[in-house]
Amino acid sequence: QVQLQESGPGLVKPSGTLSLTCAVSGGSISVNNWWSWIRQPPGQGLEWIGEIFHTARTNYNPSLRSRVTISLDKSNNQFSLRLNSVTAADTAVYYCARNRPNSGTMFDIWGQGTMVTVSS
Amino acid sequence: DIQMTQSPSSLSASVGDRVIITCQASQDISKSLNWYQQKPGKAPKLLIYDASNLETGVPSRFSGSGSGTDFTFTISSLYPEDIGTYYCQHYDSLPRVTFGPGTKVDIK
């Protein structure tokens, strides 16, 4: 059973870079599907950030594209998120998720989420 | 951009009640619509995919219907463990992924 676990700093300074990693266990990241990052500001709804395929092809939410990089680390079976020039508006719980293989974009496996606060 | 709206934004119902949540898209999205349940402090859980397909292991009291611009999510008989927030989610091939604003369900 595939499981996902986010990790990274819980506090980032304004104008800094948010960096998170999602470790994949119980399966290979190199299988034929997409892996996503999704975030949720406190008390608010869900926002898709972007996704990466096992070939390292990426797609990003247009509203975040200029600041986001998602990358793959096959040797460690994990993928990562970098978000530049953060502000308080980037404070959120960040989730990694698996896009169900061979289907439309639906997220069938999620990490538990990690809270990131942007503050000086 | 396609906008997703949900109604109501919140509801309070009694155990055993039928609960209906609607999701409307600003343009025709065929059946590219999924539903999630999020319990407090937890990650969302996929319940319904492609508008009407029940995810494996999800109780049959949950169902979805609709196509085009109007979609409905139904809990046929509300259980105490069903409290949480329910989100619809649209996807297309660009890709664009858009979540609805959510409907909070609690017990009266």
Side-chain angles (χ1 to χ4, degrees):
Chain A
Q1 174 74 349
V2 173
Q3 294 184 310
L4 307 179
Q5 177 68 58
E6 305 90 348
S7 63
L11 181 64
V12 181
K13 288 184 171 15
S15 77
T17 297
L18 180 159
S19 297
L20 297 174
T21 297
C22 180
V24 179
S25 60
S28 173
I29 201 169
S30 298
V31 295
N32 191 32
N33 61 255
W34 295 82
W35 305 90
S36 283
W37 286 97
I38 295 158
R39 70 179 183 178
Q40 185 172 37
Q44 298 185 41
L46 299 159
E47 179 180 36
W48 178 73
I49 299 170
E51 62 185 2
I52 190 163
F53 198 49
H54 71 97
T55 58
R57 177 184 167 188
T58 54
N59 293 306
Y60 299 126
N61 185 325
S63 68
L64 296 169
R65 182 178 290 131
S66 64
R67 298 194 292 131
V68 173
T69 303
I70 297 176
S71 58
L72 209 57
D73 180 356
K74 291 187 178 181
S75 61
N76 288 305
N77 214 42
Q78 61 188 26
F79 62 105
S80 298
L81 169 71
R82 285 175 59 88
L83 181 66
N84 300 325
S85 305
V86 297
T87 69
D90 296 310
T91 294
V93 175
Y94 285 76
Y95 295 99
C96 57
R98 186 185 80 166
N99 302 27
R100 168 163 293 164
N102 304 313
S103 68
T105 301
M106 60 196 74
F107 309 108
D108 64 346
I109 299 174
W110 296 66
Q112 65 184 27
T114 188
M115 180 70 200
V116 179
T117 300
V118 178
S119 175
S120 55
Chain B
D1 285 2
I2 296 175
Q3 306 300 319
M4 308 298 297
T5 57
Q6 281 184 241
S7 61
S9 56
S10 66
L11 66 90
S12 187
S14 299
V15 172
D17 280 355
R18 184 181 189 88
V19 169
I20 297 175
I21 298 168
T22 63
C23 180
Q24 188 167 57
S26 58
Q27 57 186 274
D28 190 335
I29 60 170
S30 186
K31 290 194 168 189
S32 302
L33 194 284
N34 308 315
W35 291 95
Y36 298 83
Q37 174 196 63
Q38 185 177 33
K39 296 186 178 182
K42 299 295 187 181
K45 175 185 176 182
L46 179 64
L47 300 181
I48 302 288
Y49 63 93
D50 293 342
S52 60
N53 295 292
L54 189 67
E55 175 71 346
T56 302
V58 173
S60 59
R61 65 180 180 274
F62 297 102
S63 65
S65 65
S67 66
T69 61
D70 296 300
F71 300 85
T72 299
F73 173 82
T74 301
I75 307 173
S76 61
S77 178
L78 187 67
Y79 280 49
E81 59 262 36
D82 297 337
I83 61 166
T85 302
Y86 292 81
Y87 294 93
C88 60
Q89 174 243 318
H90 160 63
Y91 64 91
D92 65 26
S93 58
L94 283 181
R96 281 178 302 204
V97 176
T98 306
F99 289 91
T103 296
K104 186 174 182 180
V105 174
D106 63 26
I107 301 292
K108 192 183 293 182

